């Protein structure tokens, strides 16, 4: 059986809020809406902090925001 990255990341503690926020973050990132992606990944990590893939996405989105010259905290 295959396990999606969402299921794999939250194997210890299933959390619908995490899944929804991470999914929205990935969609925003794919659409180059990095500020929205940052917010979504922060929400996801607030729901489930032990999620390495979501943290990587967050760091990548923050790097994109920085590269665009946008101040974001």
């Amino acid at each position: 059986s295959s396990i999606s990255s969402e299921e794999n990341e939250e194997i210890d503690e299933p959390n619908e809020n995490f899944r929804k926020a991470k999914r929205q973050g990935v969609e925003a990132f794919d659409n180059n809406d990095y500020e929205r992606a940052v917010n979504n990944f922060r929400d996801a990590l607030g729901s489930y902090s032990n999620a390495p893939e979501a943290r990587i996405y967050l760091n990548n989105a923050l790097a994109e925001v920085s590269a665009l010259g946008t101040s974001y905290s």
Side-chain angles (χ1 to χ4, degrees), residues 30-68:
D30 289 346
N31 290 318
N32 302 321
D33 188 351
Y34 302 114
E35 290 185 18
R36 186 166 63 93
V38 166
N39 289 330
N40 290 134
F41 291 126
R42 285 183 173 163
D43 288 347
L45 290 165
S47 295
Y48 186 75
S49 62
N50 188 23
E53 186 178 83
R55 191 161 305 281
I56 290 167
Y57 266 113
L58 170 61
N59 289 335
N60 288 342
L62 286 167
E64 291 292 341
V65 168
S66 178
L68 293 172

